[in-house]
Amino acid sequence: MYLLISGMKMNSIHRIWPGFVLLGCLAGWTGNTSCTLQAQGDPGNPDAEAVRITEQVTLFTDRGMYAVSESIRFRSFYRINGSAAEEPLSRVLYVELVTPSGEAVAGAKYPHGSEGSAGFLEVPPGTVTGNYYLRAYTRWMRNFGPLAYCYVPLTIINPYSREVLNGTSGSGNGPGSGNGPGSGNGPGSGNGLGSGNGPGSGEVQTPPAGMTGPQQGARRLIDCSAEKDVYLPGETVTLSLSIPEETYLSAGDYCVTVVPAGLADTLLEGIPQDPMTPGGTRTLPGGAGITGFSLDLLPEIRGISVSGSVVPAGDSSLASQAPRRLHFSMLGENPEYFGVLTDESGRFIVTLPERTGTCELFVAAEPSAAGYSIRIDQDFATDPLPFSPVPFDLSPSRRESATRMVMNMQLAMAFSPDPADPDSVGGTAKAVPFYGAPSETIRTEDYVNLPTMTEVFENLVPDVYVKYSKGEPYLKIESRNNMIDHLPPLILMDGIPVFDQQAVLAVDPAKILKIELINEVYVRGSMFYGGVLAFTSREGDMASVDLPGGSYFFDYQAFHPAVQPDPD
């Protein structure tokens, strides 16, 4: 068995008895961290200040080999410009399991703070046996390109298929050749971690050229010891961690996990990161250059966001005339609404309410986006790996470890209880609408049937009047707040914004279940409304009202559920 201790400061190996190893992990310039990038280029460039703000993520997993249907447990640590952050720039961490060609087979979003993040990611049952990478990044890090991401090499075993993944990506001296893990001087052999003269055998390493901050000095090891060499199941293991006085290292947070022998490959050093070279580019291991920084995405300072642009479908000269008001509805058990104004170029960004799982969203532009296209930015990165992958190969000892791991996985699946139905656990609290408690709620079934919606408003709904402008009817909400007179109302039909008020007035009242009213100025983000008028149809079909032109529904991934599965 291995006891893996991962933290923000140090790497060390301490043997406590034959076959069991006490392991420590460092979040320095090695150990799966991104490099600190220095601002380059013209100071007059508007991006010059932005490029000075760099984020670094260090990712640790509980082991380096997994079977399909298992959960990859991880812990991340976070730095801004190489130093501890009092407040994070980004509140969302993206973690993906990707193939050597960069294709994601699983991915999720996790809440992220100044101390990093923690969670788990399920390996899909159909994943092919082979070498993969767990990569982590924030939306802001995507502006620096794939070399700024954090990568952890992992091996996935699928006992139900003979197919083996052998993809390739990139070129040069990345993992698998030259200085990468598994060969040459990289981790796992030569001078890498755990063998030769690498950390774990008392040797001090020097970081690669171009790194900045305290990492530039020699890295020292943590002193780690236990009270005794052998422990029985159920006993408490007490660890003593200390830092040499002569080192710059300071106390940090650590995570501890116990893993079977042969599965602790996460101690391999991470993917070496190249610093940005003068001129705003990075040099890949094979000598190819990529743009170093491009301010395309803003940081998620509040939570998961949706960004994109409204662009003309044909004539590009119409870009400056793009609709300025965008409306989003989140459907489901706890519906939400939020609006945003686009900038002069048609760009927008809006923060979603905190949710888990996959959310169904609706987006519409006002005025109608006819002749325009609402484009949503890809939430996950699609970059290929910027290095060569490690060829898949199982040594006899690793094959034995994989066999035991697969047996444990199959036994756990065979004897684990069926997951409880979340709908059957406890009671379901009555959902409060996003606009709060309405000032008036009218259920049409409580009254006699009226032939038209105009009569419904005249006789049943207080403070809502049908007015006329140039012979055309429209709805007006009145209040003691005079500001409401200068703002249009927000009209929702089954949670979907409706801009055609004449279509609402033409609805058959028999199709409406209830009407809720807010007769005060309503503010949602950067949008102001003269009250809220929310309709609920009897059949959930928007009472046959047509959707706004150019609108559509789409699925968007929210936070990964925080509930951790029981250990195998």
Side-chain angles (χ1 to χ4, degrees):
M1 298 288 287
Y2 285 109
L3 179 64
L4 174 64
I5 306 175
S6 57
M8 304 180 68
K9 297 298 178 186
M10 305 128 224
N11 285 9
S12 67
I13 297 180
H14 182 79
R15 184 168 297 278
I16 55 178
W17 74 93
F20 292 76
V21 179
L22 180 64
L23 305 171
C25 218
L26 163 70
W29 60 269
T30 60
N32 314 318
T33 183
S34 61
C35 63
T36 299
L37 305 177
Q38 299 302 301
Q40 303 286 347
D42 182 8
N45 188 327
D47 294 349
E49 289 300 319
V51 76
R52 295 178 184 273
I53 305 174
T54 64
E55 295 179 300
Q56 297 85 39
V57 171
T58 303
L59 192 67
F60 295 99
T61 57
D62 58 337
R63 45 192 163 102
M65 185 187 300
Y66 299 87
V68 294
S69 301
E70 287 192 310
S71 294
I72 302 170
R73 296 175 175 87
F74 68 86
R75 172 72 163 93
S76 72
F77 298 98
Y78 178 69
R79 290 287 186 268
I80 293 181
N81 295 340
S83 302
E86 295 183 1
E87 289 291 334
L89 176 64
S90 300
R91 293 282 182 177
V92 183
L93 181 69
Y94 295 74
V95 179
E96 295 178 284
L97 181 66
V98 299
T99 66
S101 61
E103 179 183 357
V105 298
K109 306 170 187 177
Y110 303 85
H112 184 250
S114 59
E115 297 182 354
S117 182
F120 66 96
L121 182 67
E122 302 89 345
V123 180
T127 304
V128 177
T129 296
N131 287 338
Y132 291 77
Y133 295 89
L134 194 69
R135 71 178 177 190
Y137 54 88
T138 65
R139 179 174 281 231
W140 180 254
M141 291 168 68
R142 289 172 60 185
N143 294 315
F144 294 86
L147 277 173
Y149 306 164
C150 171
Y151 300 88
V152 177
L154 300 176
T155 297
I156 305 298
I157 304 297
N158 187 339
Y160 309 109
S161 173
R162 294 182 176 272
E163 185 178 359
V164 175
L165 180 69
N166 282 311
T168 59
S169 173
S171 60
N173 296 322
S177 62
N179 297 320
S183 64
N185 295 323
S189 64
N191 295 323
L193 181 60
S195 63
N197 295 322
S201 57
E203 188 72 14
V204 175
Q205 278 195 339
T206 303
M211 294 301 297
T212 62
Q215 301 96 326
Q216 203 164 16
R219 186 180 61 174
R220 296 298 300 272
L221 305 181
I222 182 175
D223 295 327
C224 180
S225 61
E227 292 179 322
K228 56 183 182 178
D229 290 341
V230 178
Y231 291 85
L232 298 177
E235 285 191 282
T236 299
V237 180
T238 301
L239 304 177
S240 176
L241 308 178
S242 61
I243 303 169
E245 294 181 358
E246 65 273 15
T247 181
Y248 63 85
L249 299 175
S250 59
D253 296 329
Y254 296 85
C255 51
V256 178
T257 182
V258 178
V259 296
L263 300 182
D265 294 336
T266 50
L267 281 184
L268 295 181
E269 294 188 51
I271 309 307
Q273 307 295 329
D274 287 346
M276 186 183 295
T277 59
T281 63
R282 283 193 190 89
T283 301
L284 294 179
I290 61 174
T291 301
F293 179 81
S294 177
L295 185 54
D296 299 321
L297 299 170
L298 295 176
E300 294 175 301
I301 60 176
R302 295 185 180 89
I304 292 177
S305 62
V306 177
S307 64
S309 58
V310 180
V311 298
D315 188 356
S316 60
S317 64
L318 298 176
S320 61
Q321 305 173 22
R324 296 295 305 277
R325 297 164 65 96
L326 285 183
H327 302 261
F328 289 85
S329 292
M330 180 180 290
L331 310 179
E333 293 183 358
N334 297 304
E336 277 278 0
Y337 165 84
F338 34 96
V340 65
L341 299 175
T342 65
D343 63 18
E344 294 180 355
S345 62
R347 292 287 300 174
F348 64 87
I349 182 170
V350 61
T351 301
L352 300 184
E354 187 168 329
R355 295 286 189 275
T356 59
T358 300
C359 301
E360 183 181 11
L361 299 181
F362 172 84
V363 60
E366 182 188 8
S368 172
Y372 294 87
S373 175
I374 305 173
R375 298 181 180 177
I376 305 298
D377 293 333
Q378 177 63 257
D379 48 349
F380 287 91
T382 57
D383 307 289
L385 300 185
F387 46 76
S388 299
V390 179
F392 176 74
D393 181 47
L394 283 181
S395 63
S397 60
R398 295 193 73 207
R399 185 179 296 272
E400 182 180 350
S401 299
T403 300
R404 293 197 303 267
M405 175 189 67
V406 167
M407 291 177 60
N408 289 336
M409 177 272 294
Q410 293 174 328
L411 288 171
M413 293 183 63
F415 292 99
S416 60
D418 294 333
D421 183 358
D423 295 332
S424 65
V425 180
T428 302
K430 183 178 180 181
V432 177
F434 67 86
Y435 44 78
S439 54
E440 295 287 345
T441 299
I442 293 88
R443 301 186 67 88
T444 57
E445 61 187 6
D446 294 339
Y447 303 92
V448 298
N449 294 330
L450 296 174
T452 66
M453 289 301 299
T454 298
E455 292 191 49
V456 169
F457 289 118
E458 290 177 348
N459 295 281
L460 303 181
V461 186
D463 299 326
V464 179
Y465 300 90
V466 179
K467 304 285 187 177
Y468 291 87
S469 175
K470 299 180 180 179
E472 300 292 339
Y474 68 94
L475 293 171
K476 182 66 176 178
I477 299 175
E478 295 191 356
S479 170
R480 288 176 296 179
N481 187 343
N482 293 331
M483 289 183 60
I484 205 171
D485 296 333
H486 307 286
L487 299 169
L490 172 61
I491 300 178
L492 302 171
M493 183 69 72
D494 292 336
I496 301 299
V498 177
F499 313 131
D500 187 352
Q501 297 189 16
Q502 296 182 38
V504 173
L505 291 170
V507 167
D508 181 355
K511 295 183 177 182
I512 299 299
L513 177 64
K514 68 177 179 179
I515 303 171
E516 294 183 319
L517 170 68
I518 296 289
N519 63 343
E520 289 292 342
V521 173
Y522 184 75
V523 182
R524 195 69 168 173
S526 57
M527 312 278 271
F528 291 77
Y529 302 99
V532 179
L533 196 57
F535 298 85
T536 301
S537 67
R538 293 185 181 277
E539 303 296 333
D541 58 356
M542 292 188 62
S544 302
V545 174
D546 292 335
L547 295 174
S551 63
Y552 59 89
F553 297 88
F554 65 99
D555 289 336
Y556 204 76
Q557 194 165 330
F559 283 126
H560 189 273
V563 177
Q564 181 84 359
D566 293 333
D568 296 337

